[in-house]
Amino acid sequence: MTNKKIPVTQPADQSSCSCSDAQANPACEMPDDNVSESRRGFMKDVGGLSVASLMGTAALLTNSDEAQANTEWAEWFQGNYRLMTDEEKARAVARLERRYSSEYGKKVTVDTTPAQDGVLFGYALNIQKCIGCRRCVKACVQENNQSRGEREIEWIRVLKMEKGDFSVGKMKDGYPGDFGIQVGGNAYSASGVVLEGEHYYEPEKVPDADAFYMPIACMQCEKPPCVKVCPVRTTYREPDGPVVVDYNWCIGCRMCIGACPYWARRFNWGKPNLPKEEMNPNTHYLGNRPRMKGVVEKCTFCIQRTRKGRYPACVEVCPVGARKFGNLLDPNSEVRQILAKKRVFRLKAEMNTYPKFFYFID
Amino acid sequence: MKKISKFTVDYLGYVVKGSPKFYGWVAFLSMFILVWVYGNYMQLTEGMIITGLTDQVSWGIYLANFVFLVGVAAGAVTVVFPAYVYKHKAMHEVTVLGEMLAIAAVVMCLLFVIMHMGRPDRLWHILPVIGIFNWPHAILTWDVLVLNGYLVLNLIGGFYYLYKKYCHEELNKKFYLPVIYIAIVWALSIHTVTAFLLNTMPARPMWHTGMMPIRFITTAFAAGPSLIIIVFLIVRNNTRMMIKDEAINLLSQIVVWCLGIALFLTLSEVVTELYHPTEHSMGLQYLMFGYHGLNNLVPWFWGSLVAMVSGFILLLIPSIRKNYKLLPWICAMIFLGIWVEKGMGLLIPGSIPTPIGEITQYSPTFLEIANSLGNWAIGFLVLTILLKGAIGILLGDISYAKTEGGK
Ligand code: SF4
Ligand code: SF4
């Protein structure tokens, strides 16, 4: 197998970042996250969903014209993407393009570019550099046509980790009083939370001096538990690495959500809310094409971009160049260089899922 | 062929006719089913958004009821097993009632699991041959196989027996006995596989324990016969069908011992997890004590524990165990205790905290509860009808000779 170098444009580095506000104060436009909980035992109470959002869907449903209904009906009979012949794929894509174009009022393309030989995508993230600005989160939502507003779906979550869990100032908190025996040391922070990260933080400014940040998303495991449990094989690993979902084949059983150790999968609980003007018309069948209600979705390493030699949206937008992407089979790629030279680790390596998403520090 | 069509006509004619009590019961169940129709309409049109589920807690009471009912279905074997393996006479006379219960329970399981799916319209994707069946990798496909297999075995076993009774013919033992013995082993498989569905996920440390299948089976053999005892006592008091004391006494003994083992296993798990609690025991800690004021599940856990422990102690006392006025209430308490233990005590806290350590509370919405109650109502309707028909045949109210002779 020849190790091809994937044709990429300029690496998005902190100095040559495409977004103009890179050097500006990263806090200038904090993406708003509607939940703020300062206490450690954070939670999001999602008990009641507003009636308004339900009515919104009803309105959307009635909009569908007959042509669209027909294509949807034909879609119902279509087979699993992997098993389709080329003609079947072409037909399915034409159908989808027709439906999406009429639904979003613009020319939408659904790409089917396959994996290239000699390419295995990998990702490396510098946690030393990440400032927690969450631009990657927002860029991802825009690029990948996730649901917006009240039903916002985010594939990337940035965990804010507090520094000083072992600070001398807090030492006294750790000693249990009455027994006269030290049983707890100064482990006053509950060892409980699996990762001591909080992803609903809403600071005035980032980075917070008392914190560091650890973004997570799908790790594109080489041995993905989510794939193993899927009863209909609708989610699977592509030859160039990303784990993808055929949204038209998913039965919505959410076994994969249970099996993923990284909480990387999202479910479309209702009809996704994707405004026409914000819809990204350059889509891939296995990537960012609009989803329907009742199916699972996740990060695909921006398959619609990376198979065409572009960087994922998150890599491009990161103002500090914390995110690196490339071909793991190419010894000269940036990711391979990082793996060779930096201090690298994988999150929850004990799970033995072999992520192709690495963390590193300089 | 004529006999079979006659059987069908007689059977159906018999089960739809009944006393005012019967119609009252059916009307009562229908109320729930009406709300169920509305709830399902909402869920099909709006999506799962009408439930209280989230990306954090994405398995809720639908799946909890499913897991519990698999146990009830498996529990029917506590009637069949003594009857055929130990040749227990009193039990032998009522075996078919156990099979009817198993059928009704599997029907409920299927309803719940379909309701849990985000795209029930794509159910055909999981059918072998026309869809893709990820077997043997995905445990869910095993569950599909064993549950449907169990349904078929009980349908065959139960209705073959009833049909032969109806015709006053001898059973063909060469055909019938293998079906029964396979069904006995199969019953264990359904709950075992359902346990594997949960405990094969290292991402959910609370479930990731080898103790799960045996815990499932012991609780199933406590909850299943508890329900059967209640049903038997109702049948005894309302029909001419005489179910012998020995049958009920044996069942209550099975309940008490299985419940005892289940409690012991719970204790072992709690000690193992909490002696030196690691991050992996967060789910159990959250369940038992709550976390920083987030304690939705705490009362459920302790309530269910109290119900199970007191049920166990009460049933240990022979005079109480044989008091048929008290027994059904104790059984109901045990049944509910185990229902809570499977749902609020196992399925839901398995998702809390999430794999990245977030604690999200879950409470089912009104429609979610209404849909669940509706599934139960349908199940009880099926059970009522199946039992009615079976009892009619066992009592000789409907038989081929009778209808033929009447002409
Ligand atoms: S991170 Fe989760 S969703 Fe992504 S491949 Fe691994 S198991 Fe699957
Ligand atoms: S929700 Fe969809 S992708 Fe996930 S396991 Fe079920 S069918 Fe497969």
Side-chain angles (χ1 to χ4, degrees):
Chain A
M1 188 158 59
T2 54
N3 290 342
K4 276 188 205 148
K5 194 180 165 90
I6 41 166
V8 281
T9 47
Q10 259 303 292
D13 205 30
Q14 61 266 59
S15 48
S16 63
C17 181
S18 58
C19 65
S20 53
D21 55 332
Q23 272 85 6
N25 178 4
C28 58
E29 40 154 41
M30 274 307 301
D32 55 314
D33 215 302
N34 39 11
V35 185
S36 85
E37 280 288 352
S38 50
R39 64 169 186 270
R40 297 299 300 258
F42 45 85
M43 64 162 287
K44 191 180 173 194
D45 194 341
V46 218
L49 292 150
S50 83
V51 181
S53 68
L54 293 181
M55 312 242 284
T57 331
L60 279 175
L61 280 175
T62 48
N63 270 344
S64 55
D65 58 9
E66 207 179 324
Q68 192 186 314
N70 285 341
T71 49
E72 270 172 7
W73 183 236
E75 263 176 61
W76 193 77
F77 290 102
Q78 97 191 20
N80 180 277
Y81 181 75
R82 254 182 323 166
L83 304 181
M84 285 184 201
T85 60
D86 283 345
E87 298 95 82
E88 279 167 340
K89 272 187 193 161
R91 267 205 302 280
V93 162
R95 232 180 357 243
L96 285 171
E97 285 180 340
R98 210 173 330 129
R99 174 159 75 82
Y100 291 147
S101 300
S102 93
E103 209 170 321
Y104 295 97
K106 55 176 120 180
K107 170 115 192 60
V108 178
T109 55
V110 179
D111 182 26
T112 54
T113 309
Q116 278 182 63
D117 279 345
V119 173
L120 184 67
F121 290 127
Y123 207 116
L125 194 146
N126 189 338
I127 44 169
Q128 222 171 350
K129 280 194 175 151
C130 174
I131 53 167
C133 70
R134 280 198 286 230
R135 284 202 180 83
C136 50
V137 178
K138 296 295 153 187
C140 172
V141 170
Q142 275 154 22
E143 167 68 27
N144 289 298
N145 287 325
Q146 279 103 314
S147 183
R148 313 288 155 89
E150 239 179 285
R151 295 178 185 184
E152 173 134 334
I153 288 179
E154 287 168 356
W155 292 347
I156 307 176
R157 300 300 306 190
V158 182
L159 300 174
K160 177 179 156 194
M161 325 284 277
E162 266 177 46
K163 286 182 189 163
D165 262 6
F166 204 84
S167 67
V168 177
K170 290 183 186 169
M171 283 284 274
K172 62 179 187 332
D173 299 344
Y175 295 90
D178 300 338
F179 306 105
I181 312 167
Q182 182 198 331
V183 292
N186 64 346
Y188 52 84
S189 307
S191 69
V193 198
V194 181
L195 289 176
E196 304 243 302
E198 119 93 297
H199 54 106
Y200 300 111
Y201 65 90
E202 233 187 330
E204 309 254 287
K205 242 175 87 173
V206 287
D208 185 331
D210 294 329
F212 62 95
Y213 301 91
M214 173 125 171
I216 54 168
C218 173
M219 303 282 152
Q220 316 296 357
C221 309
E222 278 294 90
K223 233 172 82 184
C226 56
V227 167
K228 195 169 188 178
V229 298
C230 177
V232 292
R233 286 198 192 137
T234 193
T235 186
Y236 62 97
R237 176 191 172 280
E238 279 278 290
D240 52 354
V243 170
V244 295
V245 182
D246 177 354
Y247 313 115
N248 274 73
W249 192 257
C250 170
I251 59 172
C253 65
R254 311 193 286 291
M255 285 300 294
C256 53
I257 297 187
C260 170
Y262 300 97
W263 195 59
R265 293 180 160 254
R266 300 290 179 273
F267 190 69
N268 286 285
W269 297 100
K271 185 172 167 50
N273 171 34
L274 176 59
K276 285 182 183 173
E277 50 306 340
E278 291 176 33
M279 192 256 171
N280 172 8
N282 303 316
T283 74
H284 191 285
Y285 190 98
L286 298 171
N288 60 342
R289 69 185 169 99
R291 275 75 68 182
M292 54 294 271
K293 75 169 190 294
V295 304
V296 156
E297 60 178 68
K298 62 181 279 298
C299 162
T300 65
F301 274 171
C302 278
I303 200 165
Q304 68 282 356
R305 290 167 147 254
T306 47
R307 285 217 174 141
K308 299 238 153 116
R310 296 177 68 199
Y311 275 117
C314 50
V315 172
E316 234 170 67
V317 80
C318 179
V320 292
R323 293 173 167 268
K324 305 291 179 193
F325 182 82
N327 183 1
L328 288 171
L329 300 181
D330 172 6
N332 301 319
S333 70
E334 205 177 4
V335 194
R336 275 290 290 275
Q337 292 295 317
I338 288 167
L339 294 189
K341 293 185 186 138
K342 307 283 181 176
R343 296 156 201 219
V344 179
F345 70 97
R346 282 160 154 163
L347 189 60
K348 292 200 195 186
E350 79 278 12
M351 285 286 160
N352 261 8
T353 64
Y354 303 99
K356 290 190 291 292
F357 193 107
F358 301 88
Y359 293 90
F360 70 100
I361 48 176
D362 288 319
Chain B
M1 210 57 234
K2 187 170 159 239
K3 272 188 189 169
I4 292 185
S5 59
K6 203 93 202 77
F7 171 76
T8 321
V9 172
D10 282 357
Y11 182 85
L12 292 178
Y14 182 80
V15 294
V16 296
K17 278 195 265 37
S19 61
K21 228 181 192 174
F22 170 74
Y23 289 125
W25 171 239
V26 171
F28 173 73
L29 294 177
S30 309
M31 270 168 18
F32 289 98
I33 299 176
L34 271 181
V35 188
W36 176 90
V37 170
Y38 170 73
N40 274 283
Y41 169 76
M42 288 300 285
Q43 186 169 321
L44 287 176
T45 47
E46 301 300 335
M48 302 291 293
I49 199 156
I50 62 129
T51 67
L53 295 168
T54 54
D55 285 322
Q56 286 85 352
V57 182
S58 76
W59 296 7
I61 57 169
Y62 293 157
L63 220 55
N65 278 299
F66 163 76
V67 166
F68 175 73
L69 281 163
V70 173
V72 174
V77 83
T78 53
V79 177
V80 186
F81 187 78
Y84 283 90
V85 179
Y86 289 118
K87 316 281 180 223
H88 193 282
K89 246 199 120 299
M91 221 50 129
H92 200 275
E93 290 160 13
V94 291
T95 318
V96 72
L97 302 188
E99 289 165 335
M100 296 296 127
L101 177 83
I103 296 171
V106 177
V107 167
M108 284 190 263
C109 289
L110 296 176
L111 285 173
F112 271 113
V113 85
I114 291 172
M115 203 171 262
H116 168 84
M117 286 170 52
R119 300 296 307 204
D121 58 319
R122 296 181 183 167
L123 195 60
W124 66 273
H125 291 185
I126 201 180
L127 298 180
V129 186
I130 62 165
I132 298 178
F133 199 58
N134 188 10
W135 188 85
H137 297 286
I139 305 279
L140 195 62
T141 56
W142 285 84
D143 226 5
V144 169
L145 286 181
V146 292
L147 271 178
N148 285 302
Y150 191 62
L151 180 62
V152 170
L153 282 170
N154 277 291
L155 281 173
I156 294 177
F159 277 91
Y160 174 72
Y161 180 87
L162 288 178
Y163 175 70
K164 285 290 178 190
K165 272 257 155 182
Y166 170 84
C167 301
H168 289 292
E169 285 170 15
E170 278 295 307
L171 292 171
N172 176 358
K173 290 249 163 69
K174 284 220 181 71
F175 168 72
Y176 182 66
L177 287 181
V179 171
I180 290 291
Y181 288 123
I182 294 174
I184 288 173
V185 182
W186 206 281
L188 295 178
S189 82
I190 61 172
H191 219 21
T192 307
V193 170
T194 306
F196 286 156
L197 195 67
L198 304 181
N199 84 342
T200 49
M201 294 182 171
R204 309 279 165 181
M206 184 176 178
W207 293 338
H208 194 227
T209 153
M211 204 166 324
M212 184 98 90
I214 186 67
R215 247 185 98 182
F216 268 34
I217 286 179
T218 52
T219 50
F221 288 1
S226 292
L227 181 63
I228 297 172
I229 291 174
I230 299 174
V231 170
F232 279 6
L233 288 173
I234 293 175
V235 167
R236 237 164 74 148
N237 294 338
N238 289 284
T239 69
R240 284 175 292 117
M241 175 96 192
M242 190 51 213
I243 296 169
K244 296 212 180 77
D245 284 359
E246 294 95 86
I248 293 174
N249 292 346
L250 178 63
L251 285 174
S252 57
Q253 287 211 9
I254 296 177
V255 171
V256 75
W257 289 119
C258 287
L259 191 59
I261 299 173
L263 285 168
F264 176 76
L265 294 177
T266 306
L267 176 80
S268 316
E269 212 165 353
V270 168
V271 173
T272 313
E273 289 289 315
L274 296 193
Y275 180 74
H276 184 102
T278 67
E279 293 182 346
H280 287 181
S281 41
M282 251 321 276
L284 192 64
Q285 290 177 53
Y286 166 76
L287 169 67
M288 292 175 71
F289 311 112
Y291 185 72
H292 290 211
L294 304 174
N295 45 20
N296 265 358
L297 297 179
V298 177
W300 291 103
F301 173 83
W302 294 103
S304 126
L305 196 65
V306 167
M308 286 162 71
V309 171
S310 45
F312 175 64
I313 294 173
L314 287 173
L315 287 191
L316 273 180
I317 305 166
S319 59
I320 295 184
R321 197 163 65 226
K322 295 199 174 122
N323 178 340
Y324 294 159
K325 289 256 156 345
L326 275 178
L327 184 63
W329 297 105
I330 300 173
C331 286
M333 182 173 79
I334 294 172
F335 187 77
L336 284 176
I338 294 175
W339 178 76
V340 171
E341 191 247 7
K342 282 283 157 293
M344 283 69 121
L346 180 89
L347 201 103
I348 292 162
S351 306
I352 307 172
T354 65
I356 62 159
E358 179 183 358
I359 301 217
T360 302
Q361 305 221 80
Y362 154 77
S363 17
T365 57
F366 168 75
L367 286 179
E368 207 175 351
I369 295 171
N371 282 344
S372 303
L373 285 176
N375 282 350
W376 277 94
I378 293 172
F380 275 117
L381 191 63
V382 172
L383 180 65
T384 310
I385 287 176
L386 289 175
L387 287 179
K388 194 162 189 296
I391 291 169
I393 290 172
L394 290 182
L395 291 177
D397 281 357
I398 28 174
S399 75
Y400 189 63
K402 214 169 176 178
T403 38
E404 282 299 278
K407 269 186 191 158

